[in-house]
């Protein structure tokens, strides 16, 4: 069984095709193709992701990306005859995406129905216009080619992305065996839009036990990076700059909510503290590249301290038998080393799970793994009616 996965919740247009692996007793998947088009350059000049632009770029990218994905998976073939296309239906499904409508109509006329047996698509959370393009694209494919759809929660994708083995693209069994995990686990999700501590009771069963009351970690990284003169997305650049920083009396920063006693986070005060610090340094002519590196280090350590502290608390409170880290900020090795140390020093033998490096940020294989879990668990009752499927910008785990 071949499955197409679609992710468009933010600024990456991502498609992949996996093959559900029937050869073994334990169900598994093989990756046939996996492509991502990043819109970073488009959004950089706005200093953040601009939803209308994200929607336009997804609409522009999806059809050419589908063709490429099908080709790489060996599932692409053109028709000899011009296929008839249900134009009225497509017009209705894609009335808010005229550019996509034109492209997809041309595509349906040109290619044979591919050997795709299910579609997994990100339903939310994310930017509403961006999500809708992906959802409507999935609906159009599902309706015209008569393929079932399974909607996926993007945050669950960040959790299940840890299931991929190293070198997953070249493995017959791309995932670790899902039955070999011990629950409950705690998942720390750190991305541009979310900061959450999630109790993972089983695959597919989650409860948010702590989250940010204001900015997400990635958002704070990006905003502080911008104050330090780095272009969007500044998170990775800030962590790069921090490598050259040294601890300095002048750049001490607070650890917000560290002793709040609960599992809530807050990063907006930290961001404001950096703003005041920069103003003060500028006034005293002390704001230079050296100081920028020192601030980057100090900020990253403040964030790390809070994340480590709250994660530890959640692990103890819920008797966690494993720690999962997910989301774009899980690419930050300073943060992940600190969490790994926490486990080694205080939770001896408790496993630590990180996504493979290129699966930390948004991609569609994470959607494939979350869809796979639901498909395994609920079978065809996990599918929904494409006629009524809606994007949900505020979808919760
Ligand atoms: O999960 P993701 O790709 O998109 C969302 O779903 O939000 O996360 C993107 C976020 C951005 O804020 C980006 O700056 C941040 O992850 N990020 C980092 C690093 N790499 C990506 N933040 C800190 N250090 C990094 N190395
Ligand atoms: Zn994400």
């Amino acid at each position: 069984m071949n499955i197409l996965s679609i992710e468009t919740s933010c600024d990456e247009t991502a498609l992949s095709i996996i093959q559900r692996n029937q050869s073994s007793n334990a169900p598994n998947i093989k990756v046939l193709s996996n492509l991502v088009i990043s819109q970073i350059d488009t959004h950089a000049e706005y200093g953040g992701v601009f939803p209308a632009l994200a929607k336009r770029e997804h609409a522009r990218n999806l059809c050419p990306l589908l063709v490429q994905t099908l080709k790489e998976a060996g599932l692409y073939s053109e028709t000899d005859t011009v296929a008839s296309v249900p134009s009225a239906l497509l017009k209705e499904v894609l009335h808010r995406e005229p550019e996509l409508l034109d492209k997809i109509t041309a595509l349906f006329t040109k290619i044979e129905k591919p050997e795709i047996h299910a579609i997994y698509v990100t339903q939310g959370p994310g930017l509403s216009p961006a999500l809708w393009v992906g959802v409507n694209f999935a609906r159009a494919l599902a309706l015209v080619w008569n393929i079932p759809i399974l909607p996926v929660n993007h945050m669950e994708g960040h959790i299940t992305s840890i299931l991929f083995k190293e070198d997953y693209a070249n493995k017959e069994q791309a995932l670790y065996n899902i039955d070999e995990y011990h629950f409950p686990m705690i998942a720390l999700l750190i991305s541009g839009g979310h900061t959450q501590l999630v109790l993972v009771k089983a695959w597919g069963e989650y409860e948010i036990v702590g989250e940010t009351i204001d900015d997400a970690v990635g958002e704070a990284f990006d905003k502080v990076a911008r104050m330090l003169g780095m272009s969007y997305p500044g998170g990775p650049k800030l962590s790069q700059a921090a490598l050259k920083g040294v601890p300095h009396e002048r750049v001490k920063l607070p650890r917000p909510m560290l002793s709040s006693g609960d599992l809530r986070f807050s990063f907006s005060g930290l961001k404001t503290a950096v703003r005041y610090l920069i103003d003060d340094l500028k006034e005293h002519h002390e704001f230079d590249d050296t100081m920028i590196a020192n601030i980057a280090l100090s900020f990253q350590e403040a964030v790390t301290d809070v994340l480590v502290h709250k994660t530890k608390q959640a692990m103890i409170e819920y008797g966690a038998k494993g720690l999962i880290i997910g989301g774009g900020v899980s690419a930050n090795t300073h943060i992940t080393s600190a969490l790994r140390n926490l486990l080694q020093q205080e939770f001896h033998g408790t496993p630590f799970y990180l996504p493979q490096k290129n699966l930390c940020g948004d991609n569609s294989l994470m959607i494939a793994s979350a869809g796979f879990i639901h498909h395994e668990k609920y079978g065809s009752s996990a599918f929904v009616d494409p006629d009524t499927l809606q994007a949900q910008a505020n979808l919760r785990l």
Side-chain angles (χ1 to χ4, degrees):
M1 176 178 215
N2 299 326
I3 297 146
L4 171 72
S5 298
I6 304 170
E7 154 64 37
T8 65
S9 68
C10 191
D11 58 349
E12 326 280 349
T13 317
L15 295 180
S16 57
I17 297 172
I18 57 164
Q19 186 175 62
R20 190 182 177 284
N21 204 325
Q22 309 282 4
S23 60
S24 63
N25 295 334
N28 214 302
I29 64 169
K30 182 179 176 189
V31 177
L32 299 185
S33 59
N34 174 36
L35 298 170
V36 183
I37 298 182
S38 170
Q39 304 176 3
I40 281 179
D41 295 341
T42 314
H43 297 285
E45 60 179 298
Y46 298 90
V49 182
F50 199 68
L53 263 187
K55 170 183 162 156
R56 188 195 73 189
E57 290 299 302
H58 289 311
R60 202 171 267 179
N61 292 336
L62 277 166
C63 284
L65 201 60
L66 177 64
V67 168
Q68 209 182 330
T69 310
L70 289 170
K71 281 183 177 165
E72 283 195 17
L75 299 174
Y76 180 87
S77 63
E78 293 186 3
T79 48
D80 303 332
T81 53
V82 175
S84 74
V85 178
S87 334
L89 175 73
L90 280 178
K91 234 181 210 153
E92 194 190 314
V93 173
L94 296 172
H95 72 274
R96 287 195 286 185
E97 283 88 26
E99 184 171 3
L100 184 55
L101 174 65
D102 291 344
K103 287 204 150 84
I104 211 168
T105 306
L107 186 81
F108 283 133
T109 352
K110 194 169 139 200
I111 73 172
E112 301 259 18
K113 179 190 164 180
E115 284 292 309
I116 297 285
H117 308 100
I119 297 173
Y120 301 161
V121 62
T122 304
Q123 182 178 29
L127 301 170
S128 192
L131 286 166
W132 269 112
V133 189
V135 165
N136 284 338
F137 179 65
R139 292 173 64 220
L141 297 180
L143 289 164
V144 173
W145 283 336
N146 194 22
I147 305 172
I149 292 194
L150 192 157
V152 172
N153 182 310
H154 180 87
M155 300 314 289
E156 182 173 10
H158 277 308
I159 295 176
T160 57
S161 64
I162 61 111
L163 288 168
F164 283 93
K165 295 176 187 168
E166 202 182 342
D167 197 27
Y168 54 83
N170 299 311
K171 289 221 152 74
E172 278 304 313
Q173 314 258 326
L175 300 185
Y176 291 109
N177 185 343
I178 58 170
D179 296 329
E180 286 178 4
Y181 290 80
H182 299 285
F183 299 96
M185 294 195 270
I186 286 290
L188 172 67
L189 301 182
I190 38 182
S191 72
H194 292 82
T195 300
Q196 294 178 331
L197 281 162
V198 178
L199 179 65
V200 184
K201 298 172 190 169
W203 293 125
E205 276 176 54
Y206 313 98
E207 181 188 337
I208 298 168
V209 293
E211 63 190 316
T212 181
I213 56 169
D214 42 53
D215 291 353
V217 177
E219 187 183 359
F221 261 93
D222 294 339
K223 285 177 177 168
V224 167
R226 194 173 182 189
M227 293 179 208
L228 297 176
M230 299 159 192
S231 63
Y232 177 85
K237 295 170 191 117
L238 190 153
S239 66
Q240 203 56 36
L243 292 174
K244 296 197 202 100
V246 290
H248 196 288
E249 267 307 304
R250 280 292 269 136
V251 298
K252 288 212 157 135
L253 289 168
R255 268 71 178 148
M257 310 277 284
L258 194 68
S259 34
S260 66
D262 56 25
L263 297 174
R264 290 179 305 161
F265 300 90
S266 164
F267 294 104
S268 127
L270 180 57
K271 178 189 69 189
T272 311
V274 176
R275 159 67 48 222
Y276 288 142
L277 174 62
I278 293 175
D279 288 348
D280 187 56
L281 288 169
K282 279 186 176 162
E283 210 175 295
H284 294 87
H285 307 287
E286 290 176 83
F287 188 68
D288 56 14
D289 284 351
T290 311
M291 222 34 128
I292 286 177
N294 296 343
I295 298 170
L297 176 69
S298 176
F299 170 79
Q300 187 167 261
E301 301 222 300
V303 170
T304 306
D305 280 355
V306 178
L307 292 176
V308 168
H309 185 88
K310 300 274 171 167
T311 303
K312 175 180 169 184
Q313 193 179 331
M315 300 265 309
I316 294 171
E317 246 176 84
Y318 292 94
K321 297 191 178 119
L323 175 63
I324 294 173
I325 316 291
V329 186
S330 62
N332 185 302
T333 49
H334 184 85
I335 293 174
T336 53
S337 309
L339 289 160
R340 197 189 290 274
N341 285 343
L342 166 76
L343 253 67
Q344 275 166 2
Q345 284 161 15
E346 307 201 28
F347 298 89
H348 308 282
T350 305
F352 178 72
Y353 303 109
L354 261 187
Q356 301 300 331
K357 189 109 194 134
N358 52 356
L359 297 180
C360 289
D362 292 346
N363 63 86
S364 64
L365 283 183
M366 66 189 234
I367 303 310
S369 57
F372 169 79
I373 296 277
H374 282 256
H375 206 157
E376 280 310 308
K377 214 169 158 172
Y378 304 107
S380 57
S381 59
F383 294 128
V384 298
D385 180 357
D387 274 329
T388 54
L389 177 63
Q390 305 223 341
Q392 289 180 29
N394 299 313
L395 187 66
R396 302 213 8 120
L397 273 174

